[in-house]
Amino acid sequence: LRSELQETGIGLGGQLLFQLGRGRPVFAGADFSYANFDSESVFFTTTQNGFEEDFRLRTRTNVLIGHAMLRFKPFTGNFLQPYVDGLFGFKRFYARTTFAQLFDNEEEELIESETDQADSALSFGVGGGLQWRVSLRPQILIDLRCNYFMGGNASFLVRSSDPPPRLEDPIEAFKERRAPTGLLLPQIGITIQLTGQDFRDTPEEGY
């Protein structure tokens, strides 16, 4: 997918996990991520009642990823906690164009927004990570994680190699392509862990 999109996506995500029984190092829950791959803008000025007003059309290409997740995270008894994940869900690729008025104080007012193209595909994958505990109460961990998602084909917009010399609409900078949706997703984040000694069969000092 990286070779098709030609851009590296940047976004954010979150997850919610529950332990599957006291003392078990197995967790289940949901994971969601969003990333923006590319954008193009067209600016123009019109005259209304003798005053110039500035406007912008912007098209963004994005992906929304959602999975049910099963995690195995052994109790290590120290500040480093490795884990492995299995995931099954969907990827939704879409392009959205917004029309906004721009003001001199760098503020803007959204006038209209519409989805130009969208498609979805089943997604499944595996991943792993390492959590580094930096606080005990509450338990806060730095989370380094990487997932690889496979799945079916989907249609999405990529930047055209031969766009018009002058864009009247930012969507003209893109073309539709259909391809497999394999996706590598590295992440760094913060985890607040509510489970602790009460959820272990044999609590260890310092966990």
Side-chain angles (χ1 to χ4, degrees):
L1 185 60
R2 173 69 177 86
S3 60
E4 299 290 342
L5 290 171
Q6 304 169 355
E7 298 289 342
T8 299
I10 299 176
L12 51 85
Q15 58 189 229
L16 181 63
L17 297 174
F18 298 92
Q19 189 175 21
L20 298 182
R22 188 181 300 273
R24 295 181 179 178
V26 182
F27 301 77
D31 177 89
F32 291 94
S33 299
Y34 160 85
N36 168 248
F37 288 108
D38 203 353
S39 67
E40 183 64 59
S41 299
V42 171
F43 299 88
F44 58 94
T45 301
T46 64
T47 301
Q48 301 283 345
N49 300 321
F51 296 96
E52 290 187 345
E53 296 183 349
D54 297 322
F55 297 90
R56 182 195 64 221
L57 277 169
R58 173 180 289 168
T59 297
R60 295 178 180 267
T61 59
N62 316 280
V63 62
L64 179 65
I65 307 170
H67 291 90
M69 182 170 69
L70 192 65
R71 170 172 292 178
F72 173 73
K73 185 170 72 169
F75 301 117
T76 62
N78 58 47
F79 67 94
L80 292 177
Q81 299 180 7
Y83 61 85
V84 292
D85 295 333
L87 306 101
F88 183 83
F90 70 92
K91 305 185 195 82
R92 179 168 177 79
F93 297 86
Y94 65 99
R96 182 177 294 274
T97 296
T98 57
F99 177 46
Q101 183 176 359
L102 308 179
F103 299 97
D104 293 337
N105 56 4
E106 298 186 356
E107 293 185 356
E108 59 183 68
E109 179 184 351
L110 180 64
I111 298 174
E112 187 178 357
S113 176
E114 65 177 6
T115 299
D116 300 290
Q117 184 273 345
D119 195 14
S120 299
L122 286 177
S123 178
F124 53 94
V126 294
L130 184 66
Q131 295 176 336
W132 175 20
R133 190 178 62 219
V134 295
S135 172
L136 274 175
R137 291 180 177 81
Q139 288 205 46
I140 299 176
L141 305 99
I142 303 298
D143 198 337
L144 303 175
R145 179 185 183 211
C146 188
N147 293 328
Y148 180 71
F149 299 114
M150 298 159 279
N153 291 354
S155 298
F156 46 87
L157 296 186
V158 299
R159 187 167 287 273
S160 174
S161 58
D162 186 27
R166 179 181 175 84
L167 298 177
E168 299 293 336
D169 190 313
I171 197 70
E172 297 172 353
F174 301 93
K175 63 180 180 180
E176 187 170 312
R177 182 168 294 176
R178 186 170 182 83
T181 58
L183 186 64
L184 182 67
L185 188 63
Q187 294 175 308
I188 181 171
I190 294 176
T191 294
I192 299 176
Q193 183 170 284
L194 302 181
T195 58
Q197 292 183 356
D198 291 342
F199 286 78
R200 298 171 53 110
D201 282 336
T202 350
E204 297 182 16
E205 183 178 355
Y207 181 79

